[in-house]
Amino acid sequence: MSLQDLIPVVNKLQDIVTTTQLADIDLPILAVVGSQSCGKSSVLENIVGKDFLPRGTGIVTRRPLVLQLINIHEDDPIVSRKVNDSNDELEEIDLEDHLRKMNGGSKNSKNKKKTEWGEFLHIPNKRFYNFYEIRREIEKETLRIAGENKGISRLPINLKIYSPKVLNLTLVDLPGLTKIPIGDQPTDIERQTRNLISEYISKPNCIILAVSPANVDLVNSESLKLARQVDPTGKRTVGILTKLDLMDQGTNALDILKGNVYPLKLGFIGIVNRSQQDIAENKPLEDSLQSEQQFFLNHPAYRSMASKCGTKYLAQTLNKILMNHIRERLPDIKAKLNTLMGQTEHELASYGDMPNMGDSKEARGAMVLTLMTKFANAFMNSIEGTLITEISTKELCGGARIYNIYNEVFGSSLAAINPTHNLSIHDIRTAIRNSAGPRPSLFVPELAFDLLVKPQIGLLEEPSQRCVEMVYEELMKIVHSVCSSDIGPELSRYPRLQAKLIEVVSDLLRERLGPTIKYVQSLIEIHRAYINTNHPSFVGAAKAMSIVVAERQKQKEMELNSKLKLATQRILGRKLKEAETIEAIEEGEERADGDEGEGADDEEAEDTDEGVAKMKEDIVSVDDDFPKRKRSSHKKHQHHESQQPLNESYLNYFLGKDPIVHQQQMQAQAQLHPTPFKFPHPLETTLQFNTQFVNNGVINPNNSTPSPLIGHKRSESQLSHHDFKNLTINEGYNESSFESDETINELTEREQMECELIRRLIISYFSIIREMVQDQVPKSIMCLLVNHVKQHIQNRLVVKLYSDDMFDELLREDEGIQAEREKCIELLKTYREAARIISDVV
Ligand code: GDP
Ligand code: MG
């Protein structure tokens, strides 16, 4: 078995490797090592079976030659591929080429397909069909880099030999080891060469052909020394003994060849290469191989072991080494091949069985039904959240996304609505005035609240509608994403069925969008239809009013305090400056300031109230004319101020005397506050407010003399606040009559209160409706859209798609899938064949 015999096996395996994309078999590199002129290039040439390497006496190989042998089929497309070498040939044509062409050599070669050629890396796209030219090019290229004068270079020459007769192998011809520098060689030439050689042979994938000439004592063999350094166990070193024909008469290398001199696992092989004379005479390779064989057979010493000598035996040995190497790699390749087969079989199964046109209608119907059901289930599971798709970790999807729409998106868009959006104080006032009509505006007209709150409820419509749309869009997404879920591959085999499934479900969804939106719209409409002020959560006018009043009072309190300060200073300026009084005021000031700074804490406010009251009394005591009655009433105010009945009285004032409305309010209050309800004093129900008290009040006891505050009276806010304060303080004094110009002022104040009240009522009522809408809209969507589709999807699919005449169309396979399946079948065939080859090799 020669190296050439390995070609089919290795080629097959390499085909497997290429088609299956397995790791390459990675055949070892063969490198020849030895001293100068020991016959390395000759050995290599013999192995390749081609006469193309420069050989001779003296240093010939001065650059590493990396020789890549590439096996090609004779009918490989690469053989007839047009390469752009015609120009090169013309340019580089020399006399010899010219003569060859003139002699018709090219004609012959043109008729004959040229299947063997060499290509140099440094001359891309030029094919050297003539091996004599290859040798010349190697020489030329060596000169170019390594110089004319014996110098060596580590830069390799890369040569590829394409031939149907070679094994896919890489061989390296290396410069020989020398001791003494000659020519241009540097003084450390030995070390340089050694390093260069080591670089190649130290690779574990390198088989070292350690060449030693038989006419030199083996103890001086540089090659074996070097090989031992990189391969101490000798498992990849083949000893080659050349020039056996040149040994001294009467001596032989039998001991070495038998392994008695130097132990090498792979042994020594004796070789007789062509002599320099043979080369000069152009002795063909075939002939020299023949004479080599004759040499061993006829030699008295080697005759007995002739079969284990010579180039042929070397080839067999290398063959064995390569084969062992391949065998070592085979289990790995086999395992990978099995994995690939498994994967391909699985892939093939995923494309489903070969469509059998002979399938019965029933079978096809069942198939359609199965896929339909799977689709419907996958859709529902996606909504339920039990379907795990690839995107599930990246973003919310399916049911989770719907939940998110309800709670996050819809919830926050509702929360973002300002209940009094687009509603100015002016609007409220106008509404109040309009709703009052020509009547004197005595009460807070419910009509105005009704009128104002209805459009505000309308604000809920847009986000509710958007919520429906978003859920709809999400469902649409789910429908499409179902195809990328588990059943995706199964469905993608039938693109028509898949498209139809999506279409039918999309239609079903679309049908439901309108009614759902309409329902949600009518939900809002319903809330606008009747304003239920009896809703238990509604703040109610009473509470709203008490809040408004309490706030106002607090504000007043603060303002009054600062005014008192002013007034006191004036009074004190007029009267005697009593140190004690001043101290009292200062104390009062401090307390008042403290109150202002710290804000509305109830307890502190009360403290301040007391402080202020005390201060007031102090001030009053200065004035002997101050009526005792009013002082007592003032004390009474201090006592009742923060009590509920007082606020109730104002409520009634605003809510009017309508007994039914009043009754309703009372009932609502009673339900809300189980504590005994105190009916207001009849007087309080019609409490009216008298600006006269301003003048008669605490601050300015002298009715005829305008107080300093009167000067500020035209400042509306101050006046109104002040008036209101008086109103609240002097609740009992309602006998005074209105003064017409004062009534206008009073109404302005009142309107402010009304506006504030209405605003609060709108906010309260709106919040209730908002809460209800936030609850009802998702429920409606679930009922009318999501659940409806879930319930009807299966039925709808059957109605639309399950019919005899549609099965063929629906189950028509995707062409791509068909091609994929065929590819899989082909691959499997290749793998099986490869597996068979591998088992043959072993
Ligand atoms: P390299 O320098 O190691 O590559 O050696 P070559 O292959 O160039 O050979 C050097 C010289 O020795 C050449 O002239 C060869 O013809 C000659 N030579 C090599 N091997 C043998 C052999 O086995 N017998 C004889 N007679 N000459 C050989
Ligand atoms: Mg050489």
Side-chain angles (χ1 to χ4, degrees):
M1 197 178 185
S2 74
L3 271 186
Q4 269 67 30
D5 297 332
L6 262 184
I7 292 172
V9 179
V10 172
N11 281 353
K12 267 185 198 166
L13 286 175
Q14 241 141 12
D15 277 352
I16 294 167
V17 163
T18 334
T19 49
T20 58
Q21 281 157 14
L22 289 168
D24 206 333
I25 294 178
D26 249 353
L27 282 180
I29 291 169
L30 302 182
V32 279
V33 196
S35 52
Q36 190 181 301
S37 293
C38 67
K40 300 180 295 295
S41 301
S42 303
V43 167
L44 219 51
E45 239 181 20
N46 284 352
I47 293 170
V48 178
K50 281 278 160 212
D51 187 1
F52 66 100
L53 291 176
R55 289 143 306 160
T57 49
I59 180 154
V60 178
T61 309
R62 296 189 289 137
R63 286 176 68 182
L65 176 78
V66 178
L67 183 64
Q68 208 181 335
L69 305 181
I70 297 163
N71 180 270
I72 48 165
H73 292 289
E74 282 185 24
D75 48 2
D76 197 303
I78 196 172
V79 174
S80 43
R81 200 183 69 196
K82 196 94 193 94
V83 283
N84 192 24
D85 59 352
S86 51
N87 282 341
D88 292 342
E89 250 174 282
L90 274 178
E91 273 168 25
E92 294 196 5
I93 201 157
D94 52 22
L95 185 64
E96 226 170 317
D97 288 331
H98 181 71
L99 284 174
R100 191 162 46 82
K101 277 193 178 162
M102 295 308 281
N103 292 338
S106 65
K107 235 184 213 167
N108 283 339
S109 61
K110 242 179 202 166
N111 293 341
K112 222 179 102 204
K113 233 201 256 154
K114 293 187 276 187
T115 53
E116 278 185 301
W117 72 92
E119 268 180 52
F120 287 98
L121 189 70
H122 64 272
I123 316 174
N125 282 331
K126 172 160 180 165
R127 289 181 179 183
F128 289 79
Y129 292 102
N130 186 336
F131 279 74
Y132 171 70
E133 272 177 55
I134 293 176
R135 185 191 301 171
R136 280 204 15 206
E137 181 56 42
I138 294 171
E139 284 165 356
K140 218 166 107 185
E141 181 59 15
T142 303
L143 280 176
R144 193 172 71 84
I145 300 290
E148 303 264 357
N149 202 358
K150 322 283 185 207
I152 67 160
S153 164
R154 61 189 307 106
L155 200 72
I157 297 172
N158 286 286
L159 171 64
K160 285 181 177 177
I161 302 285
Y162 292 86
S163 167
K165 297 180 209 152
V166 296
L167 191 60
N168 288 315
L169 263 184
T170 301
L171 312 163
V172 185
D173 190 13
L174 290 164
L177 286 156
T178 51
K179 293 275 183 198
I180 303 149
I182 50 160
D184 284 347
Q185 289 177 348
T187 45
D188 65 339
I189 180 76
E190 191 189 352
R191 197 181 54 81
Q192 273 192 25
T193 322
R194 230 171 250 284
N195 288 346
L196 175 62
I197 294 168
S198 295
E199 209 175 282
Y200 285 89
I201 64 171
S202 57
K203 285 175 187 147
N205 198 30
C206 179
I207 288 174
I208 307 163
L209 305 180
V211 183
S212 312
N215 54 357
V216 178
D217 201 326
L218 202 67
V219 289
N220 293 323
S221 171
E222 289 296 325
S223 63
L224 289 171
K225 223 164 104 190
L226 204 56
R228 183 130 72 166
Q229 279 173 15
V230 294
D231 177 31
T233 56
K235 66 176 176 16
R236 55 187 179 91
T237 305
V238 180
I240 293 170
L241 219 52
T242 55
K243 305 194 181 178
L244 284 174
D245 58 321
L246 296 183
M247 283 184 85
D248 280 347
Q249 288 288 317
T251 61
N252 63 59
L254 210 59
D255 272 358
I256 299 171
L257 294 178
K258 282 184 170 167
N260 299 334
V261 178
Y262 189 92
L264 264 183
K265 273 201 187 105
L266 299 174
F268 278 89
I269 297 166
I271 298 279
V272 177
N273 289 317
R274 282 178 293 176
S275 64
Q276 190 59 40
Q277 196 188 338
D278 294 337
I279 294 167
E281 287 170 3
N282 250 332
K283 186 174 176 181
L285 212 80
E286 298 292 314
D287 293 0
S288 65
L289 284 177
Q290 195 65 38
S291 44
E292 185 193 21
Q293 210 169 355
Q294 287 305 315
F295 171 83
F296 285 113
L297 284 171
N298 297 330
H299 198 281
Y302 308 125
R303 194 185 296 150
S304 59
M305 59 178 302
S307 62
K308 293 202 169 175
C309 293
T311 302
K312 209 173 164 199
Y313 182 67
L314 172 64
Q316 282 171 6
T317 308
L318 290 177
N319 190 316
K320 234 192 278 173
I321 293 169
L322 294 177
M323 213 44 201
N324 283 337
H325 175 87
I326 291 166
R327 283 202 189 96
E328 262 173 43
R329 306 271 304 145
L330 282 182
D332 201 26
I333 294 175
K334 251 180 164 174
K336 280 186 183 156
L337 203 57
N338 280 330
T339 315
L340 277 174
M341 277 207 267
Q343 282 170 351
T344 312
E345 269 162 13
H346 184 261
E347 193 186 336
L348 183 63
S350 78
Y351 298 133
D353 298 330
M354 285 284 258
N356 187 350
M357 282 309 152
D359 269 358
S360 65
K361 277 254 188 261
E362 287 73 24
R364 310 191 128 238
M367 179 75 166
V368 170
L369 203 59
T370 309
L371 288 171
M372 235 181 231
T373 310
K374 279 185 178 172
F375 183 85
N377 286 340
F379 175 78
M380 287 193 280
N381 289 341
S382 185
I383 296 174
E384 304 292 342
T386 47
L387 184 81
I388 309 300
T389 55
E390 285 155 47
I391 51 163
S392 61
T393 52
K394 301 275 182 284
E395 55 176 351
L396 285 178
C397 58
R401 172 69 187 141
I402 292 174
Y403 178 86
N404 175 264
I405 291 170
Y406 291 154
N407 290 282
E408 303 288 325
V409 184
F410 183 50
S412 59
S413 70
L414 286 186
I417 300 173
N418 173 9
T420 55
H421 175 72
N422 266 344
L423 208 58
S424 66
I425 287 287
H426 177 78
D427 296 333
I428 299 177
R429 201 174 59 179
T430 309
I432 293 169
R433 281 185 178 170
N434 284 343
S435 65
R439 288 177 290 147
S441 166
L442 283 177
F443 324 116
V444 174
E446 266 193 52
L447 213 58
F449 169 66
D450 228 75
L451 203 71
L452 289 164
V453 82
K454 278 179 181 171
Q456 300 311 106
I457 291 170
L459 293 173
L460 295 166
E461 187 172 318
E462 204 269 332
S464 303
Q465 211 167 310
R466 184 73 201 117
C467 182
V468 179
E469 284 163 4
M470 284 179 84
V471 173
Y472 168 77
E473 282 160 18
E474 186 55 34
L475 290 174
M476 275 294 189
K477 261 196 221 164
I478 292 174
V479 172
H480 285 86
S481 70
V482 161
C483 299
S484 58
S485 68
D486 292 347
I487 62 157
E490 217 174 324
L491 262 185
S492 60
R493 187 179 165 192
Y494 306 111
R496 284 167 188 82
L497 176 62
Q498 182 178 320
K500 274 283 176 199
L501 289 170
I502 292 174
E503 187 191 306
V504 171
V505 180
S506 298
D507 283 348
L508 179 61
L509 273 172
R510 219 177 349 260
E511 271 171 36
R512 295 310 299 167
L513 179 65
T516 312
I517 286 186
K518 225 174 229 162
Y519 185 84
V520 166
Q521 276 172 338
S522 68
L523 261 183
I524 310 292
E525 201 54 43
I526 285 164
H527 285 302
R528 287 168 61 151
Y530 174 59
I531 305 304
N532 177 20
T533 49
N534 273 338
H535 191 282
S537 305
F538 185 47
V539 65
K543 196 154 171 230
M545 194 61 217
S546 70
I547 293 165
V548 171
V549 167
E551 271 176 13
R552 288 258 163 174
Q553 265 178 346
K554 206 160 262 174
Q555 210 178 345
K556 294 287 169 182
E557 205 69 63
M558 267 147 57
E559 276 173 23
L560 182 66
N561 281 343
S562 60
K563 279 166 194 165
L564 272 172
K565 210 167 72 185
L566 248 171
T568 312
Q569 277 167 353
R570 261 189 88 92
I571 292 161
L572 286 175
R574 253 195 334 208
K575 300 280 172 182
L576 284 167
K577 291 122 188 139
E578 273 186 50
E580 282 167 23
T581 318
I582 291 163
E583 272 170 26
I585 291 164
E586 279 169 358
E587 204 180 293
E589 266 179 24
E590 273 167 25
R591 291 194 188 186
D593 287 347
D595 184 41
E596 267 172 39
E598 277 165 326
D601 183 84
D602 277 355
E603 262 188 357
E604 282 198 25
E606 243 174 314
D607 281 355
T608 314
D609 282 351
E610 273 172 32
V612 170
K614 190 171 173 285
M615 193 170 70
K616 282 176 193 166
E617 277 189 301
D618 284 342
I619 297 161
V620 166
S621 70
V622 176
D623 192 345
D624 291 337
D625 295 331
F626 191 76
K628 293 273 180 279
R629 182 172 62 95
K630 298 207 164 154
R631 258 167 35 191
S632 67
S633 83
H634 180 73
K635 276 186 182 171
K636 187 181 161 200
H637 147 69
Q638 294 292 330
H639 184 68
H640 286 291
E641 196 171 30
S642 58
Q643 287 183 358
Q644 177 78 6
L646 168 71
N647 293 336
E648 288 299 336
S649 68
Y650 285 97
L651 275 183
N652 297 329
Y653 163 72
F654 281 111
L655 293 172
K657 289 175 277 189
D658 184 341
I660 297 161
V661 174
H662 188 69
Q663 179 78 7
Q664 282 172 348
Q665 286 296 333
M666 292 303 149
Q667 279 172 356
Q669 288 299 327
Q671 280 168 2
L672 280 171
H673 311 285
T675 46
F677 190 79
K678 198 173 157 191
F679 278 93
H681 189 275
L683 280 175
E684 291 169 349
T685 59
T686 53
L687 178 69
Q688 304 205 346
F689 125 72
N690 184 352
T691 49
Q692 197 65 29
F693 293 137
V694 177
N695 298 331
N696 293 342
V698 192
I699 300 154
N700 188 5
N702 189 348
N703 199 5
S704 56
T705 321
S707 85
L709 284 176
I710 303 300
H712 294 275
K713 248 186 142 178
R714 297 302 160 214
S715 156
E716 201 185 306
S717 72
Q718 278 188 356
L719 170 70
S720 55
H721 288 179
H722 187 68
D723 288 351
F724 188 75
K725 179 70 188 173
N726 275 297
L727 168 76
T728 56
I729 300 171
N730 303 295
E731 55 187 72
Y733 297 88
N734 60 342
E735 65 267 36
S736 308
S737 59
F738 280 110
E739 282 179 23
S740 59
D741 54 341
E742 296 286 347
T743 310
I744 295 162
N745 284 335
E746 181 228 334
L747 279 177
T748 311
E749 158 71 13
R750 210 188 109 145
E751 273 178 354
Q752 280 191 19
M753 295 286 283
E754 284 174 343
C755 287
E756 180 57 18
L757 178 68
I758 296 243
R759 198 180 69 85
R760 278 170 190 278
L761 291 179
I762 289 172
I763 291 170
S764 166
Y765 194 79
F766 185 86
S767 303
I768 294 166
I769 305 303
R770 169 161 51 197
E771 220 169 84
M772 297 206 306
V773 166
Q774 192 174 352
D775 178 60
Q776 290 165 336
V777 167
K779 285 175 180 171
S780 313
I781 296 172
M782 283 319 273
C783 174
L784 299 174
L785 185 65
V786 182
N787 292 348
H788 186 278
V789 171
K790 268 163 72 180
Q791 281 157 13
H792 292 83
I793 180 170
Q794 175 87 30
N795 194 40
R796 175 64 65 92
L797 285 172
V798 170
V799 169
K800 292 276 180 191
L801 300 181
Y802 191 82
S803 86
D804 285 2
D805 48 337
M806 283 178 86
F807 295 158
D808 279 349
E809 171 65 15
L810 290 176
L811 291 182
R812 199 181 317 151
E813 261 206 327
D814 179 57
E815 284 85 0
I817 298 272
Q818 278 178 30
E820 286 295 316
R821 187 197 291 110
E822 271 154 32
K823 216 171 92 189
C824 271
I825 291 169
E826 271 312 300
L827 260 182
L828 268 181
K829 236 189 235 169
T830 316
Y831 293 155
R832 292 210 178 97
E833 174 69 9
R836 199 186 53 73
I837 292 168
I838 288 171
S839 47
D840 279 358
V841 169
V842 176

